[in-house]
Amino acid sequence: MAFVPAIETEEAPGNRPVAPHAVNSLPGTRNPLPEPLHIIALALQSTDAAKQQFPDYRLTRLISARLELDDADIAQLAIVFGSSLLRPVRGMARPFDYHLRYVIGHYGLETLFRDDGHAPYHHAIRPTGYDFHRDDVIPTGMEQWRADYRSMSNERQMMAASIIWLYRAGKDNVWLRRVPCTWHAADAIACMRRTSALEDWVRLFALYPGW
């Protein structure tokens, strides 16, 4: 798999915005926010408040809701996280493909995902441990996939699980069986924020065009 260096967006060097420590006031956006954006915005303000208002809202559900969001919704998400979220990558016509490969390389997920060349762009990237020609699990390969996944830190697991859910366009019971993946969305946002992974995660979420 060809991995890429850190993303360079079309802004002046040294002036790259970072995700704010508190949600913006969202001037000019629709009110109320769509539910997935509401929980993200609320979780940035208070994990406890987000869990109180959305007690059963898991990260799986948040990822699965991505296909329900339109361009206007994602523009609102960009207001929360700063204009760099959707800023084009210099010289890259397929920003999701570029960022997905960056995330896999940066977070050390190479044993979980590979580019098998069966299709162009991000469609070529598929999880390991599965025989796609026979449409069946490779027992030893899947055992290794889950062992590698379990050995990862929480934010790396969250990133890997999010990629699986994006790949599957929803819940998964093939790769993510008997492994940690039931985090509350607000807890996951707090964890990724604390470990400086949130900006990469939310960019993956925002750029996702379908698989």
Side-chain angles (χ1 to χ4, degrees):
M1 180 184 294
F3 296 111
V4 297
I7 290 173
E8 289 189 36
T9 53
E10 305 258 355
E11 66 234 30
N15 293 324
R16 181 172 297 166
V18 295
H21 292 290
V23 63
N24 292 353
S25 59
L26 304 180
T29 61
R30 284 180 283 171
N31 191 20
L33 291 170
E35 185 177 71
L37 303 191
H38 187 185
I39 190 168
I40 291 173
L42 190 57
L44 289 173
Q45 293 180 318
S46 168
T47 300
D48 290 341
K51 293 177 73 172
Q52 183 175 358
Q53 187 162 343
F54 298 95
D56 302 313
Y57 205 107
R58 293 183 177 181
L59 185 63
T60 324
R61 182 176 170 186
L62 179 57
I63 292 289
S64 300
R66 173 61 186 87
L67 289 174
E68 302 171 9
L69 302 177
D70 58 22
D71 290 345
D73 296 327
I74 298 303
Q76 292 185 92
L77 185 62
I79 293 173
V80 176
F81 281 89
S83 60
S84 66
L85 182 65
L86 300 177
R87 200 179 295 273
V89 177
R90 186 176 293 112
M92 293 294 164
R94 304 277 179 167
F96 178 77
D97 176 49
Y98 184 89
H99 188 59
L100 174 64
R101 293 171 188 272
Y102 164 73
V103 165
I104 291 171
H106 183 72
Y107 291 92
L109 309 180
E110 297 95 334
T111 62
L112 306 185
F113 303 96
R114 70 165 182 263
D115 183 340
D116 63 12
H118 78 285
Y121 310 115
H122 71 277
H123 302 285
I125 298 176
R126 298 196 288 200
T128 58
Y130 198 88
D131 187 332
F132 290 94
H133 296 292
R134 298 177 58 188
D135 193 22
D136 198 9
V137 166
I138 303 170
T140 56
M142 189 61 71
E143 183 180 351
Q144 187 61 54
W145 194 98
R146 292 172 182 154
D148 290 342
Y149 176 95
R150 291 190 193 100
S151 71
M152 294 179 175
S153 59
N154 288 341
E155 75 278 5
R156 291 173 66 207
Q157 289 182 355
M158 291 167 185
M159 203 70 76
S162 294
I163 294 172
I164 289 288
W165 292 321
L166 291 173
Y167 173 74
R168 302 279 280 172
K171 294 180 180 180
D172 169 73
N173 61 1
V174 177
W175 287 271
L176 297 175
R177 293 181 65 184
R178 300 187 299 276
V179 297
C181 63
T182 58
W183 315 280
H184 191 283
D187 287 332
I189 288 170
C191 174
M192 289 188 286
R193 186 180 187 180
R194 188 169 56 250
T195 55
S196 301
L198 183 58
E199 191 171 1
D200 284 332
W201 177 87
V202 78
R203 185 173 174 83
L204 200 68
F205 180 84
L207 294 175
Y208 175 64
W211 213 294

